[in-house]
Each structure stands twice: as C-alpha cells, then as structure tokens.
Amino acid sequence: MAQKAYLGVDVGSVSTNLVLLNEQGEVLEKLYLRTRGEPIAVIQEGMRMLASAASGMEIAGVGTTGSGRRLAAVILGADCVKNEITAHAVASARVVPDVRTVIEIGGQDSKIIILRDGAVLDFAMNTVCAAGTGSFLDQQAARLGVPIERFGELALMSTTPVRIAGRCAVFAESDMIHKQQMGHRIEDIVAGLCEALVRNYLNNVGKGKDIRPPVVFQGGVAANAGMRAAFEKALGTPVAVPEHYNVMGAIGAALLAAEEMERRGAPSHFRGFQALDMDYSATSFECKGCPNLCEVVNIKMGHEVIARWGSRCGRWDSF
Amino acid sequence: MKITFAHMGNLYITVKALLEDLGAEVVVPPMPSKRTLSIGSRHSPEFACLPLKVNIGNYIEAMELGADTIAMAGGVGPCRFGLYGEVQREILKALGYEFEMIIIEPPQGRLRHVLRQLGRLVGRNPVGKYVRAARLAWAKMTAVDELEKVVQRVRPFEGRRGAATAALASALKLVDEASSIVQVKRALEDGREMLLSVRAPEGDAPDPPRIGIVGEVYVVLEPFVNFDVERRLGEMGVLVERSIYIGDWVREHLFKDLFRLRKGRRPYDLAKPYLCHFVGGHGVETVGHTVEYARQKFDGVIQLAPFTCMPEIVAQDVLPAVSRDLGIPVMTLVFDEHSSDAGVLTRLEAFVDLVERSCRRRAAKGARG
C-alpha cells in the first residue's frame, strides 16, 4: 500500500511554503518559495517540484493557510482551510510540546501566540504597523549593502549596540543613517536595529501578553541570529528556533488536514498533481449592484469558474 | 423641510417613525457604503473617529437626495461625540451646503427640553400627538431590538448560509412599514416566525460556543463599519450576544438624567475592581459587561472600538487583568477607514478556533469528572 502523506501549503505575502508530512507528522519535503505577487504560478511551480518526491505516495489530506489560503484551497482541492494563527500554534505545539509563547515574524506581519497545555490562550497580530517584519529588514540590509543572510551574524559581532528609534520604520531608517554619519560601527548599528525591533514588537504586538518560557521563535525572520539574541536579551530567557522555522505555517496546515481527515473519514478532495498543469486564471470585475462597488474575483480552471469571492453581500458567491 | 439624520445600525426605523408621525418629511440616507465612507473620510479630520466620518458621508448622501435639515444627537462628557454635531455643521458649511442643523442635547433633567427641541424640528404639535408618535417609535425600537436578538440565536443553526440574514431584512421591512402599534406587534410576530423557520431541519448542533460583543456603541451597532462581525461569527456557528442594543442607547442618551438611571447600574458595579472612574463613552460598560459575560460562563469576549477612541483605549488596557482573573479570552478589534476585510476575518477565525478548542476541552473534562 502506498505511504500516506499530508500536504500543507502556506501562501503568504512574501513567501509560499509547501511541506509534505508523513503519518507521524515528520517533515518529508519542504519548499520555501518567493510569492512574487503571483500566488497561482508559485503554487503550480511548487507542486511540480514536489511531484517527483511524492511519487508512490498517497496524498491523504491537504491543508492551506496564510493570506492566500482560500485561493490555494480551490486550486489544490484542500480539505482544511485555516487561518495562520491557528496553523502556527498547532505546529509549535507539535514541535515543542510544552511551548507557552510563540513569536512569529514573517514578511509583512508579526504575531504573538500564548499557549497553555498545548492550547491557544491568547494571541495578537500587528495591526497598523509593519516595522520589524521581514520586508523592513530586507530593505535595511539592502541599503547597508549587507546580504540578508549575513545580517544576524554581523549583529552578533557587536560589542556596544547603539540605540535606534524603532517605533516607525521610516524614522528607524533616518535614525540609522544619522548613527552611521556619527561614525558608529556597522555591526553596532545592525545590533541596535535588532534590539529596537524587538522593543517595538514587545511594546506593540506583545503588549499586555503573559510571556512565559519556553519561547519559540519562528517565521522567516527567525533565521536572523541577531533578532533571536535580542529577544533572549529582552526577555531574559532562552529562545528556541525550531528546525523548520520558516515553514511552520505549512506544517500546521498539514497537521490540521490530518486531524480533519481523521474526523471526516472520507477521501481527500485533492485534485491530484496532474490537475495542476491546468490553466488557472483569476479575473475580476466591479459589481455595480450598490454603492459598495465590490471587486468580485473569479477563479477559473480552463474555462470553468471554480470559485468566486469578494462581494460584501454574498450575491456572487453562488454560480 | 426635509429632515435627515445619521445611520447607526437599524436606528433609522425608530427615528423615521417618530418624525413622520409628527408630520415631518424624512429623507433616510442610503445605507452606509464604501462611497459613504470615502466621501466622509475625504471631508473629515484624519484623527477624528470613524463615527464622525461616516456621519458626514450620510449627511452628504442625504442632501444629494434633497434633505435640507439635519437632526443630530449632542452629548456631554469626555467622549468627543458630544462635539461632533458642531464640528459636522462647520465642515458642511465650509463645503458650501445650505441646511439647518438641529442638535438635540441630552436633557439636563426636564422633559420640556426634549419637547422644545423636537418642536424646532417638526413644528408645534399638541402634547397628545407627541405621546402617540413616541409610543409608536418606542414600539418599533423594541421590535427591532427583539428581532436582532432572535437572529443572533438562530443564525448558528440556519439550514442555508445567509438565510437568517435575509429573513431579518424582510422582518425589519415589515416593522418599518407598520403604521400602528397593533401592526408593529403583528410584524414582530411574523418576523419572529420567519426567523425561526430558517433553522436546519436536522435540529440544532449541540452546545455552540458563546461570544459576547462589547465596546463603543457606534461600531458595535453599525455592521458596515465592523465588517458584519455579528453575522460572520454567527455563520461560523457562534452564539453572539452584544452588550448594547439601540433601545439601551436611546434610554441612556435621552433619558438618563430624566430617570436617574446612571447611578447604581450593574455594569458600573461589576467594573469597579478594575475601573472605578467614568472615562467617557462606554469605557466602564465595556469592562463591566466583560465581567458579566465571564460570570455567565461565556466562552469569549470581543471588544470593538473605533481607532483613537479614548474611552475604549482605557478599557482595552484594563481588559487583560479581567481576562486573567476571570479566565475569559478577550480580543480587541479596532476599526478605521483603512481596516481590511481580510485582517478582520483572520482574527475572528483564530479567535473562534481558540474558543472552540477550550470549549471542547471543557466538555472532555466534564465527561471525565
């Protein structure tokens, strides 16, 4: 009998991640791809890359998450569509069973999840500000001429981090420029930036939250050793970065799909790898039915409309 | 004279009944839409809260339909709402609109004040006519509140998604069209029937999670600005209750000093260990109702607030202590003209997951012991 595998897909603003888990929940394959504003093409590309690894396996369940979870769900034929907060929490609780705090910083958003005994007790997500997320770090690394991969390493070399104003990404940048002009060393500025972003995170997203160890740090930014060190310094506790830190959302989606399949006891809705070579397209139109002028999106497979959303009143939802 | 007023949920049904019964010609503004919000935001101060912006949009859209007189509630106390009538008058004047604005201030103790202010709107009327109009308006308001409560109890169990919302719209229309108290009563009964008939034939799902909604009155009552939070939660299978209905707001806003309702009210007593000062708006009520929902063993509370709302910011800072002490999950959602559908939905889904998991655990514990 073919080995069973569960597929998890996390379509985010910056990256699209895919994982295959075995029945024990272990990672068989993982992919971290840039979304580049083309979610459909990236999902297709990722699935093509997974197809050979998955040959001889039965895809027993598919879960999607992230801001593009609904889109991914119709393209793949998902069994379970979950928000990214729940997905991240489920994945951390599996990897570090006694985890009590999850810090997740991705491309454009950051969240904190408080767990007790494996269940989510409280959470928060950044609302009006993206300072401190991956996109901002990318931009600053580019401006300083430091490859993003070396950013963390450089921060760790600092002896006297400088204090950077971290409330707003734009002001943080002006302040960094000022500190450079004052003659501070680049490693001290980079380390200072990490500390400022951590301060900003704890004062905004983490405000009023009961942060207790064990603390897990995940999401793309967890690759940055400087950020991890800054969190450890600010919290006064070790911060664990899981092995698959950058695909935890996808792992959570796959685990949730496995859970769902167990509950349902019916076969997966997965369209199959070959279906992914179909021509998928998204078109949109403005509904003139009322002054809301909703932008309604059609998702087509070939010439057939397979999903439609975007209207506030729901009049276009059935087709 | 064609009178208009700002929307707040289904308040229009009551206000329209009152004014029309007193012989006034009424222009109900179009229901708030993205157009309303973009017109309102364009002409409002950036850091004013959302109610002011949507109000301005309502007035402009109503004046496009021929309204020339605006009725607006006033207010006293630390919440900026009391100032909004005056600010809105100045904004609209500066834009070149010609209109009269009548601001109805909460009476400082005398019924005569209310009547005099109403008289400015609708002309002189014998007292008996006021009484009749007020009774009809009051009956409609009570009916609307009742239907909104029924829809909350029915929605998680509807057989077809959206059926409860559609039934509510038809029921509200019946109430709106009723022209006597007897007709209102019949509309309420028919409406209740329509709502109860949307339940799935296979019967109710056992023991759905219960979530209480608290916060600033405008964003709680106006589904357009809160992204239909009640409907969305209901369609996710949650039983929703909210801390305030239009009737409560009218009673409090117009009559609190008349009937001395403020002192000794329950939410104030319940909030006391956490917040013992009046902080304006509904800050204290938000805290008090959260305590009440926790005591009634609700599974979670969601606080709704307009961005920059001072009373709700005070309450928000107090709520983590309530949540910790009483073991009830609390989430805050803040709305302004930049809020996005996707962001609200993600947070709601995550909160419902959180609440459901703790529900399931409690059920398992109960079964075991």
Side-chain angles (χ1 to χ4, degrees), chain B residues 55-69:
Chain B
N55 289 173
I56 290 279
N58 286 151
Y59 299 147
I60 291 178
E61 290 190 318
M63 287 192 283
E64 288 169 357
L65 298 176
D68 55 19
T69 305

Side-chain angles (χ1 to χ4, degrees), chain A residues 82-83 86 126 292 312, chain B residues 33-34 224 347 353 357:
Chain A
K82 268 291 173 205
N83 64 83
T86 304
N126 59 336
N292 277 320
R312 206 166 171 134
Chain B
S33 68
K34 275 193 262 176
F224 171 73
R347 286 166 180 80
D353 280 346
R357 286 203 171 222

Side-chain angles (χ1 to χ4, degrees), chain A residues 69-70 81-86 90 116-128 207-210 212 256 259 263 290-295 312-313, chain B residues 30-35 61 223-228 231 307 317 320 323-324 329-331 336 342-343 345-351 353-354 356-357 360-361:
Chain A
R69 59 188 177 278
R70 285 182 70 192
V81 187
K82 268 291 173 205
N83 64 83
E84 50 272 38
I85 295 163
T86 304
V90 165
R116 296 290 181 268
D117 306 318
V120 178
L121 184 74
D122 196 4
F123 66 85
M125 232 170 135
N126 59 336
T127 46
V128 285
K207 183 147 217 148
K209 302 295 174 212
D210 191 14
R212 303 223 184 138
L256 284 160
E259 219 176 85
R263 204 168 21 229
C290 82
N292 277 320
L293 303 177
C294 294
E295 292 121 33
R312 206 166 171 134
C313 66
Chain B
M31 293 313 272
S33 68
K34 275 193 262 176
R35 177 173 189 265
E61 290 190 318
F224 171 73
V225 300
N226 68 30
F227 293 89
D228 254 332
R231 176 173 66 81
F307 189 46
D317 275 350
S323 168
R324 205 163 40 238
V330 178
M331 174 173 75
D336 71 359
L345 198 58
T346 296
R347 286 166 180 80
L348 285 181
E349 281 177 16
F351 192 70
D353 280 346
L354 176 170
E356 273 180 343
R357 286 203 171 222
R360 244 181 278 156
R361 249 145 47 118

